[in-house]
Amino acid sequence: EIRPRDWSSDVCSSDLGNEEGFLSFALDPNFASNRHVWTYFSMANPRRTVSTGMEFARPMGAREGYVRADVVARTGVYGDPSDSAYTRIDGYSVVNLSLGMRNAGPWEISLWARNVFDEGYMQNLTVQAGNSGLIVGTPGDARAVGIALRARL
């Protein structure tokens, strides 16, 4: 359980920089390295993550036109428990947009763009076993543009 702190109910903070603890994980309060354990327990979680979306819709005769924007942002994390500078994943923000038209019936068509500003980011980085020095990762998706046709049945 991660409890929100100083945020609205749908945005959580996982700042574990003090002894309060925001995870349901029992530790002996007299143990000297609790702070160290808390830090590593949450090493793959960004300190802040925000996801928001908004849509503006306007009637256009028998149809409705809309513009939608979604933004996801997060702070940096270490991709591996070693806290190596080579596995540090920088924070990033990704913006997705769509422009569409829907009618009272089942049809909807939209033009969409993902990662509009072509933000370069890594999803994960990890050190391979075997002491080879190999670090592997998965790059985030590049900009993509497309058309969607939907039917509600």
Side-chain angles (χ1 to χ4, degrees):
E1 173 188 359
I2 297 178
R3 295 177 302 177
R5 185 180 79 170
D6 300 325
W7 294 92
S8 64
S9 62
D10 60 345
V11 179
C12 291
S13 168
S14 61
D15 180 4
L16 302 176
N18 57 37
E19 301 297 335
E20 284 180 49
F22 292 94
L23 298 175
S24 57
F25 186 76
L27 292 175
D28 179 356
N30 298 319
F31 188 59
S33 64
N34 272 355
R35 184 177 303 266
H36 179 76
V37 172
W38 280 111
T39 301
Y40 282 93
F41 187 70
S42 66
M43 71 83 199
N45 298 318
R47 186 170 277 224
R48 303 276 186 271
T49 298
V50 176
S51 177
T52 188
M54 64 182 91
E55 182 175 290
F56 174 75
R58 182 174 182 158
M60 303 174 90
R63 297 179 179 90
E64 180 182 66
Y66 66 90
V67 176
R68 180 169 180 81
D70 297 298
V71 179
V72 177
R74 65 181 246 183
T75 57
V77 296
Y78 286 99
D80 191 79
S82 67
D83 281 359
S84 166
Y86 298 108
T87 63
R88 176 81 180 154
I89 301 171
D90 293 332
Y92 59 87
S93 300
V94 175
V95 177
N96 302 322
L97 298 174
S98 60
L99 172 69
M101 183 81 62
R102 50 187 163 230
N103 62 16
W107 298 102
E108 179 178 339
I109 188 167
S110 64
L111 171 66
W112 55 263
R114 306 287 181 255
N115 195 0
V116 173
F117 302 111
D118 205 18
E119 176 79 18
Y121 63 98
M122 294 299 289
Q123 293 180 354
N124 61 54
L125 287 172
T126 188
V127 176
Q128 285 298 98
N131 213 14
S132 66
L134 176 64
I135 297 174
V136 296
T138 307
D141 295 331
R143 180 185 308 132
V145 178
I147 297 175
L149 178 62
R150 296 186 188 112
R152 291 185 236 21
L153 303 175

